[in-house]
PDB file of all heavy atoms in Angstrom:
ATOM      1  N   ASN A 578     171.384 251.052 190.030  1.00  0.00           N
ATOM      2  CA  ASN A 578     170.639 252.314 189.679  1.00  0.00           C
ATOM      3  C   ASN A 578     169.190 251.985 189.664  1.00  0.00           C
ATOM      4  O   ASN A 578     168.576 251.701 188.597  1.00  0.00           O
ATOM      5  CB  ASN A 578     171.133 252.849 188.301  1.00  0.00           C
ATOM      6  CG  ASN A 578     170.392 254.103 187.929  1.00  0.00           C
ATOM      7  OD1 ASN A 578     169.632 254.698 188.734  1.00  0.00           O
ATOM      8  ND2 ASN A 578     170.550 254.538 186.678  1.00  0.00           N
ATOM      9  N   TRP A 579     168.553 252.104 190.814  1.00  0.00           N
ATOM     10  CA  TRP A 579     167.117 251.755 190.931  1.00  0.00           C
ATOM     11  C   TRP A 579     166.213 252.776 190.303  1.00  0.00           C
ATOM     12  O   TRP A 579     165.016 252.555 190.147  1.00  0.00           O
ATOM     13  CB  TRP A 579     166.736 251.533 192.390  1.00  0.00           C
ATOM     14  CG  TRP A 579     167.430 250.319 193.017  1.00  0.00           C
ATOM     15  CD1 TRP A 579     168.481 250.336 193.849  1.00  0.00           C
ATOM     16  CD2 TRP A 579     167.107 248.979 192.749  1.00  0.00           C
ATOM     17  NE1 TRP A 579     168.829 249.034 194.168  1.00  0.00           N
ATOM     18  CE2 TRP A 579     168.001 248.189 193.505  1.00  0.00           C
ATOM     19  CE3 TRP A 579     166.167 248.343 191.947  1.00  0.00           C
ATOM     20  CZ2 TRP A 579     167.965 246.791 193.446  1.00  0.00           C
ATOM     21  CZ3 TRP A 579     166.133 246.952 191.896  1.00  0.00           C
ATOM     22  CH2 TRP A 579     166.993 246.205 192.695  1.00  0.00           C
ATOM     23  N   SER A 580     166.744 253.941 189.967  1.00  0.00           N
ATOM     24  CA  SER A 580     165.881 254.961 189.362  1.00  0.00           C
ATOM     25  C   SER A 580     165.287 254.540 188.040  1.00  0.00           C
ATOM     26  O   SER A 580     164.171 254.972 187.662  1.00  0.00           O
ATOM     27  CB  SER A 580     166.679 256.288 189.159  1.00  0.00           C
ATOM     28  OG  SER A 580     167.693 256.098 188.169  1.00  0.00           O
ATOM     29  N   LEU A 581     165.970 253.643 187.315  1.00  0.00           N
ATOM     30  CA  LEU A 581     165.387 253.146 186.043  1.00  0.00           C
ATOM     31  C   LEU A 581     164.172 252.268 186.324  1.00  0.00           C
ATOM     32  O   LEU A 581     163.167 252.309 185.568  1.00  0.00           O
ATOM     33  CB  LEU A 581     166.437 252.327 185.274  1.00  0.00           C
ATOM     34  CG  LEU A 581     167.645 253.139 184.757  1.00  0.00           C
ATOM     35  CD1 LEU A 581     168.658 252.263 184.133  1.00  0.00           C
ATOM     36  CD2 LEU A 581     167.158 254.223 183.747  1.00  0.00           C
ATOM     37  N   VAL A 582     164.206 251.490 187.369  1.00  0.00           N
ATOM     38  CA  VAL A 582     163.076 250.663 187.750  1.00  0.00           C
ATOM     39  C   VAL A 582     161.910 251.585 188.192  1.00  0.00           C
ATOM     40  O   VAL A 582     160.740 251.398 187.789  1.00  0.00           O
ATOM     41  CB  VAL A 582     163.414 249.727 188.910  1.00  0.00           C
ATOM     42  CG1 VAL A 582     162.188 248.952 189.400  1.00  0.00           C
ATOM     43  CG2 VAL A 582     164.537 248.774 188.503  1.00  0.00           C
ATOM     44  N   GLN A 583     162.219 252.637 188.967  1.00  0.00           N
ATOM     45  CA  GLN A 583     161.221 253.542 189.387  1.00  0.00           C
ATOM     46  C   GLN A 583     160.572 254.275 188.185  1.00  0.00           C
ATOM     47  O   GLN A 583     159.372 254.511 188.151  1.00  0.00           O
ATOM     48  CB  GLN A 583     161.813 254.591 190.377  1.00  0.00           C
ATOM     49  CG  GLN A 583     162.268 253.956 191.686  1.00  0.00           C
ATOM     50  CD  GLN A 583     163.210 254.849 192.433  1.00  0.00           C
ATOM     51  OE1 GLN A 583     164.397 254.609 192.543  1.00  0.00           O
ATOM     52  NE2 GLN A 583     162.714 255.959 193.005  1.00  0.00           N
ATOM     53  N   LYS A 584     161.388 254.626 187.227  1.00  0.00           N
ATOM     54  CA  LYS A 584     160.871 255.294 186.029  1.00  0.00           C
ATOM     55  C   LYS A 584     159.923 254.402 185.263  1.00  0.00           C
ATOM     56  O   LYS A 584     158.852 254.814 184.823  1.00  0.00           O
ATOM     57  CB  LYS A 584     161.990 255.817 185.104  1.00  0.00           C
ATOM     58  CG  LYS A 584     161.499 256.637 183.918  1.00  0.00           C
ATOM     59  CD  LYS A 584     162.618 257.207 183.136  1.00  0.00           C
ATOM     60  CE  LYS A 584     162.130 258.214 182.094  1.00  0.00           C
ATOM     61  NZ  LYS A 584     160.886 257.928 181.443  1.00  0.00           N
ATOM     62  N   ALA A 585     160.295 253.134 185.104  1.00  0.00           N
ATOM     63  CA  ALA A 585     159.431 252.195 184.383  1.00  0.00           C
ATOM     64  C   ALA A 585     158.077 252.055 185.087  1.00  0.00           C
ATOM     65  O   ALA A 585     157.053 252.049 184.449  1.00  0.00           O
ATOM     66  CB  ALA A 585     160.094 250.856 184.247  1.00  0.00           C
ATOM     67  N   TRP A 586     158.147 251.964 186.419  1.00  0.00           N
ATOM     68  CA  TRP A 586     156.943 251.804 187.219  1.00  0.00           C
ATOM     69  C   TRP A 586     156.036 253.035 187.070  1.00  0.00           C
ATOM     70  O   TRP A 586     154.818 252.926 186.818  1.00  0.00           O
ATOM     71  CB  TRP A 586     157.341 251.589 188.667  1.00  0.00           C
ATOM     72  CG  TRP A 586     156.246 251.582 189.682  1.00  0.00           C
ATOM     73  CD1 TRP A 586     155.837 252.625 190.473  1.00  0.00           C
ATOM     74  CD2 TRP A 586     155.430 250.456 190.024  1.00  0.00           C
ATOM     75  NE1 TRP A 586     154.817 252.243 191.298  1.00  0.00           N
ATOM     76  CE2 TRP A 586     154.563 250.916 191.092  1.00  0.00           C
ATOM     77  CE3 TRP A 586     155.319 249.153 189.617  1.00  0.00           C
ATOM     78  CZ2 TRP A 586     153.574 250.063 191.682  1.00  0.00           C
ATOM     79  CZ3 TRP A 586     154.401 248.343 190.212  1.00  0.00           C
ATOM     80  CH2 TRP A 586     153.514 248.797 191.221  1.00  0.00           C
ATOM     81  N   TRP A 587     156.639 254.187 187.203  1.00  0.00           N
ATOM     82  CA  TRP A 587     155.829 255.435 187.113  1.00  0.00           C
ATOM     83  C   TRP A 587     155.371 255.740 185.751  1.00  0.00           C
ATOM     84  O   TRP A 587     154.305 256.375 185.537  1.00  0.00           O
ATOM     85  CB  TRP A 587     156.532 256.585 187.795  1.00  0.00           C
ATOM     86  CG  TRP A 587     156.414 256.542 189.289  1.00  0.00           C
ATOM     87  CD1 TRP A 587     157.218 255.936 190.189  1.00  0.00           C
ATOM     88  CD2 TRP A 587     155.354 257.166 190.044  1.00  0.00           C
ATOM     89  NE1 TRP A 587     156.723 256.090 191.497  1.00  0.00           N
ATOM     90  CE2 TRP A 587     155.589 256.879 191.413  1.00  0.00           C
ATOM     91  CE3 TRP A 587     154.274 257.925 189.720  1.00  0.00           C
ATOM     92  CZ2 TRP A 587     154.754 257.305 192.399  1.00  0.00           C
ATOM     93  CZ3 TRP A 587     153.397 258.388 190.682  1.00  0.00           C
ATOM     94  CH2 TRP A 587     153.645 258.056 192.054  1.00  0.00           C
ATOM     95  N   ASP A 588     156.144 255.385 184.748  1.00  0.00           N
ATOM     96  CA  ASP A 588     155.697 255.586 183.378  1.00  0.00           C
ATOM     97  C   ASP A 588     154.349 254.787 183.140  1.00  0.00           C
ATOM     98  O   ASP A 588     153.496 255.287 182.427  1.00  0.00           O
ATOM     99  CB  ASP A 588     156.755 255.020 182.388  1.00  0.00           C
ATOM    100  CG  ASP A 588     157.875 256.039 182.152  1.00  0.00           C
ATOM    101  OD1 ASP A 588     157.669 257.232 182.459  1.00  0.00           O
ATOM    102  OD2 ASP A 588     158.897 255.673 181.608  1.00  0.00           O
ATOM    103  N   ALA A 589     154.256 253.630 183.716  1.00  0.00           N
ATOM    104  CA  ALA A 589     153.004 252.843 183.551  1.00  0.00           C
ATOM    105  C   ALA A 589     151.872 253.489 184.282  1.00  0.00           C
ATOM    106  O   ALA A 589     150.729 253.495 183.794  1.00  0.00           O
ATOM    107  CB  ALA A 589     153.270 251.384 184.035  1.00  0.00           C
ATOM    108  N   ILE A 590     152.125 253.982 185.508  1.00  0.00           N
ATOM    109  CA  ILE A 590     151.058 254.631 186.250  1.00  0.00           C
ATOM    110  C   ILE A 590     150.572 255.878 185.476  1.00  0.00           C
ATOM    111  O   ILE A 590     149.348 256.089 185.368  1.00  0.00           O
ATOM    112  CB  ILE A 590     151.552 255.034 187.659  1.00  0.00           C
ATOM    113  CG1 ILE A 590     151.787 253.749 188.477  1.00  0.00           C
ATOM    114  CG2 ILE A 590     150.577 255.970 188.346  1.00  0.00           C
ATOM    115  CD1 ILE A 590     152.372 254.016 189.855  1.00  0.00           C
ATOM    116  N   LEU A 591     151.478 256.688 185.042  1.00  0.00           N
ATOM    117  CA  LEU A 591     151.088 257.896 184.305  1.00  0.00           C
ATOM    118  C   LEU A 591     150.389 257.566 182.957  1.00  0.00           C
ATOM    119  O   LEU A 591     149.496 258.290 182.576  1.00  0.00           O
ATOM    120  CB  LEU A 591     152.386 258.746 183.978  1.00  0.00           C
ATOM    121  CG  LEU A 591     153.094 259.281 185.230  1.00  0.00           C
ATOM    122  CD1 LEU A 591     154.332 260.046 184.795  1.00  0.00           C
ATOM    123  CD2 LEU A 591     152.163 260.211 186.054  1.00  0.00           C
ATOM    124  N   ALA A 592     150.746 256.419 182.376  1.00  0.00           N
ATOM    125  CA  ALA A 592     150.069 256.007 181.147  1.00  0.00           C
ATOM    126  C   ALA A 592     148.629 255.707 181.443  1.00  0.00           C
ATOM    127  O   ALA A 592     147.746 256.062 180.608  1.00  0.00           O
ATOM    128  CB  ALA A 592     150.762 254.756 180.575  1.00  0.00           C
ATOM    129  N   ALA A 593     148.289 255.085 182.578  1.00  0.00           N
ATOM    130  CA  ALA A 593     146.922 254.737 182.921  1.00  0.00           C
ATOM    131  C   ALA A 593     146.111 256.059 183.063  1.00  0.00           C
ATOM    132  O   ALA A 593     144.903 256.119 182.574  1.00  0.00           O
ATOM    133  CB  ALA A 593     146.883 253.998 184.191  1.00  0.00           C
ATOM    134  N   TYR A 594     146.680 257.092 183.674  1.00  0.00           N
ATOM    135  CA  TYR A 594     145.963 258.340 183.818  1.00  0.00           C
ATOM    136  C   TYR A 594     145.842 259.138 182.502  1.00  0.00           C
ATOM    137  O   TYR A 594     144.864 259.789 182.249  1.00  0.00           O
ATOM    138  CB  TYR A 594     146.631 259.235 184.861  1.00  0.00           C
ATOM    139  CG  TYR A 594     146.281 258.845 186.275  1.00  0.00           C
ATOM    140  CD1 TYR A 594     147.035 257.929 186.990  1.00  0.00           C
ATOM    141  CD2 TYR A 594     145.105 259.335 186.884  1.00  0.00           C
ATOM    142  CE1 TYR A 594     146.650 257.556 188.304  1.00  0.00           C
ATOM    143  CE2 TYR A 594     144.732 258.944 188.168  1.00  0.00           C
ATOM    144  CZ  TYR A 594     145.535 258.046 188.914  1.00  0.00           C
ATOM    145  OH  TYR A 594     145.174 257.659 190.132  1.00  0.00           O
ATOM    146  N   LYS A 595     146.853 258.970 181.647  1.00  0.00           N
ATOM    147  CA  LYS A 595     146.823 259.655 180.377  1.00  0.00           C
ATOM    148  C   LYS A 595     145.692 259.146 179.520  1.00  0.00           C
ATOM    149  O   LYS A 595     145.070 259.897 178.706  1.00  0.00           O
ATOM    150  CB  LYS A 595     148.146 259.469 179.614  1.00  0.00           C
ATOM    151  CG  LYS A 595     148.217 260.117 178.250  1.00  0.00           C
ATOM    152  CD  LYS A 595     149.597 259.860 177.580  1.00  0.00           C
ATOM    153  CE  LYS A 595     149.661 260.418 176.179  1.00  0.00           C
ATOM    154  NZ  LYS A 595     149.527 261.926 176.166  1.00  0.00           N
ATOM    155  N   HIS A 596     145.369 257.830 179.640  1.00  0.00           N
ATOM    156  CA  HIS A 596     144.329 257.234 178.857  1.00  0.00           C
ATOM    157  C   HIS A 596     143.018 257.149 179.646  1.00  0.00           C
ATOM    158  O   HIS A 596     142.314 256.155 179.664  1.00  0.00           O
ATOM    159  CB  HIS A 596     144.762 255.845 178.394  1.00  0.00           C
ATOM    160  CG  HIS A 596     145.819 255.854 177.436  1.00  0.00           C
ATOM    161  ND1 HIS A 596     147.172 256.055 177.761  1.00  0.00           N
ATOM    162  CD2 HIS A 596     145.876 255.663 176.075  1.00  0.00           C
ATOM    163  CE1 HIS A 596     147.922 256.027 176.708  1.00  0.00           C
ATOM    164  NE2 HIS A 596     147.153 255.782 175.690  1.00  0.00           N
ATOM    165  N   LYS A 597     142.667 258.279 180.266  1.00  0.00           N
ATOM    166  CA  LYS A 597     141.509 258.348 181.161  1.00  0.00           C
ATOM    167  C   LYS A 597     140.177 258.177 180.379  1.00  0.00           C
ATOM    168  O   LYS A 597     139.159 257.821 180.968  1.00  0.00           O
ATOM    169  CB  LYS A 597     141.501 259.649 181.880  1.00  0.00           C
ATOM    170  CG  LYS A 597     141.401 260.879 180.973  1.00  0.00           C
ATOM    171  CD  LYS A 597     141.439 262.185 181.693  1.00  0.00           C
ATOM    172  CE  LYS A 597     141.344 263.358 180.690  1.00  0.00           C
ATOM    173  NZ  LYS A 597     141.376 264.680 181.368  1.00  0.00           N
ATOM    174  N   ASP A 598     140.191 258.506 179.090  1.00  0.00           N
ATOM    175  CA  ASP A 598     138.913 258.507 178.340  1.00  0.00           C
ATOM    176  C   ASP A 598     138.373 257.083 178.160  1.00  0.00           C
ATOM    177  O   ASP A 598     137.150 256.886 178.070  1.00  0.00           O
ATOM    178  CB  ASP A 598     139.138 259.088 176.992  1.00  0.00           C
ATOM    179  CG  ASP A 598     139.413 260.602 177.025  1.00  0.00           C
ATOM    180  OD1 ASP A 598     139.182 261.189 178.117  1.00  0.00           O
ATOM    181  OD2 ASP A 598     139.883 261.181 176.029  1.00  0.00           O
ATOM    182  N   THR A 599     139.207 256.091 178.129  1.00  0.00           N
ATOM    183  CA  THR A 599     138.799 254.705 177.984  1.00  0.00           C
ATOM    184  C   THR A 599     139.233 253.808 179.089  1.00  0.00           C
ATOM    185  O   THR A 599     138.677 252.707 179.250  1.00  0.00           O
ATOM    186  CB  THR A 599     139.336 254.138 176.653  1.00  0.00           C
ATOM    187  OG1 THR A 599     140.742 254.252 176.646  1.00  0.00           O
ATOM    188  CG2 THR A 599     138.731 254.895 175.429  1.00  0.00           C
ATOM    189  N   CYS A 600     140.144 254.229 179.903  1.00  0.00           N
ATOM    190  CA  CYS A 600     140.677 253.404 181.016  1.00  0.00           C
ATOM    191  C   CYS A 600     140.969 251.959 180.591  1.00  0.00           C
ATOM    192  O   CYS A 600     140.366 250.982 181.079  1.00  0.00           O
ATOM    193  CB  CYS A 600     139.697 253.374 182.165  1.00  0.00           C
ATOM    194  SG  CYS A 600     139.400 255.004 182.894  1.00  0.00           S
ATOM    195  N   PRO A 601     141.835 251.778 179.600  1.00  0.00           N
ATOM    196  CA  PRO A 601     142.033 250.463 179.013  1.00  0.00           C
ATOM    197  C   PRO A 601     142.685 249.478 179.981  1.00  0.00           C
ATOM    198  O   PRO A 601     142.528 248.240 179.836  1.00  0.00           O
ATOM    199  CB  PRO A 601     142.989 250.691 177.805  1.00  0.00           C
ATOM    200  CG  PRO A 601     143.620 252.012 178.114  1.00  0.00           C
ATOM    201  CD  PRO A 601     142.674 252.808 178.873  1.00  0.00           C
ATOM    202  N   GLN A 602     143.401 249.950 181.002  1.00  0.00           N
ATOM    203  CA  GLN A 602     144.001 249.038 181.967  1.00  0.00           C
ATOM    204  C   GLN A 602     143.050 248.823 183.108  1.00  0.00           C
ATOM    205  O   GLN A 602     142.852 249.697 183.940  1.00  0.00           O
ATOM    206  CB  GLN A 602     145.340 249.549 182.476  1.00  0.00           C
ATOM    207  CG  GLN A 602     146.071 248.584 183.389  1.00  0.00           C
ATOM    208  CD  GLN A 602     147.405 249.048 183.896  1.00  0.00           C
ATOM    209  OE1 GLN A 602     148.027 249.891 183.278  1.00  0.00           O
ATOM    210  NE2 GLN A 602     147.810 248.454 185.002  1.00  0.00           N
ATOM    211  N   ARG A 603     142.464 247.628 183.145  1.00  0.00           N
ATOM    212  CA  ARG A 603     141.454 247.313 184.158  1.00  0.00           C
ATOM    213  C   ARG A 603     141.992 246.379 185.273  1.00  0.00           C
ATOM    214  O   ARG A 603     141.278 246.052 186.183  1.00  0.00           O
ATOM    215  CB  ARG A 603     140.231 246.682 183.502  1.00  0.00           C
ATOM    216  CG  ARG A 603     139.611 247.506 182.400  1.00  0.00           C
ATOM    217  CD  ARG A 603     138.784 248.674 182.909  1.00  0.00           C
ATOM    218  NE  ARG A 603     138.389 249.618 181.874  1.00  0.00           N
ATOM    219  CZ  ARG A 603     137.279 249.542 181.184  1.00  0.00           C
ATOM    220  NH1 ARG A 603     136.403 248.551 181.402  1.00  0.00           N
ATOM    221  NH2 ARG A 603     136.988 250.417 180.265  1.00  0.00           N
ATOM    222  N   MET A 604     143.229 245.867 185.023  1.00  0.00           N
ATOM    223  CA  MET A 604     143.824 244.940 185.998  1.00  0.00           C
ATOM    224  C   MET A 604     145.188 245.488 186.414  1.00  0.00           C
ATOM    225  O   MET A 604     145.636 246.497 185.877  1.00  0.00           O
ATOM    226  CB  MET A 604     143.957 243.557 185.374  1.00  0.00           C
ATOM    227  CG  MET A 604     142.643 242.915 184.942  1.00  0.00           C
ATOM    228  SD  MET A 604     141.508 242.608 186.308  1.00  0.00           S
ATOM    229  CE  MET A 604     142.154 241.037 186.914  1.00  0.00           C
ATOM    230  N   PRO A 605     145.864 244.887 187.403  1.00  0.00           N
ATOM    231  CA  PRO A 605     147.004 245.498 188.046  1.00  0.00           C
ATOM    232  C   PRO A 605     148.219 245.730 187.135  1.00  0.00           C
ATOM    233  O   PRO A 605     148.438 245.091 186.144  1.00  0.00           O
ATOM    234  CB  PRO A 605     147.367 244.569 189.152  1.00  0.00           C
ATOM    235  CG  PRO A 605     146.117 243.798 189.429  1.00  0.00           C
ATOM    236  CD  PRO A 605     145.469 243.641 188.086  1.00  0.00           C
ATOM    237  N   LEU A 606     149.019 246.642 187.583  1.00  0.00           N
ATOM    238  CA  LEU A 606     150.432 246.831 187.174  1.00  0.00           C
ATOM    239  C   LEU A 606     151.218 246.006 188.235  1.00  0.00           C
ATOM    240  O   LEU A 606     151.020 246.178 189.423  1.00  0.00           O
ATOM    241  CB  LEU A 606     150.810 248.272 187.231  1.00  0.00           C
ATOM    242  CG  LEU A 606     152.329 248.628 187.311  1.00  0.00           C
ATOM    243  CD1 LEU A 606     153.067 248.270 186.082  1.00  0.00           C
ATOM    244  CD2 LEU A 606     152.509 250.150 187.620  1.00  0.00           C
ATOM    245  N   GLU A 607     152.098 245.144 187.743  1.00  0.00           N
ATOM    246  CA  GLU A 607     152.831 244.262 188.643  1.00  0.00           C
ATOM    247  C   GLU A 607     154.356 244.370 188.368  1.00  0.00           C
ATOM    248  O   GLU A 607     154.769 244.418 187.181  1.00  0.00           O
ATOM    249  CB  GLU A 607     152.382 242.815 188.509  1.00  0.00           C
ATOM    250  CG  GLU A 607     153.136 241.866 189.405  1.00  0.00           C
ATOM    251  CD  GLU A 607     152.763 240.408 189.170  1.00  0.00           C
ATOM    252  OE1 GLU A 607     151.892 240.136 188.274  1.00  0.00           O
ATOM    253  OE2 GLU A 607     153.348 239.502 189.859  1.00  0.00           O
ATOM    254  N   LEU A 608     155.108 244.395 189.421  1.00  0.00           N
ATOM    255  CA  LEU A 608     156.587 244.448 189.280  1.00  0.00           C
ATOM    256  C   LEU A 608     157.199 243.404 190.218  1.00  0.00           C
ATOM    257  O   LEU A 608     156.848 243.304 191.392  1.00  0.00           O
ATOM    258  CB  LEU A 608     157.102 245.846 189.639  1.00  0.00           C
ATOM    259  CG  LEU A 608     158.602 246.115 189.382  1.00  0.00           C
ATOM    260  CD1 LEU A 608     158.827 247.581 188.980  1.00  0.00           C
ATOM    261  CD2 LEU A 608     159.445 245.802 190.623  1.00  0.00           C
TER     262      LEU A 608
END
Side-chain angles (χ1 to χ4, degrees):
N578 179 9
W579 293 106
S580 68
L581 294 174
V582 176
Q583 294 164 251
K584 186 175 190 321
W586 174 263
W587 278 90
D588 279 345
I590 292 175
L591 296 177
Y594 280 94
K595 179 179 177 65
H596 292 77
K597 62 182 181 180
D598 293 344
T599 56
C600 299
Q602 186 179 337
R603 305 284 170 90
M604 300 296 278
L606 160 67
E607 180 185 359
L608 187 149

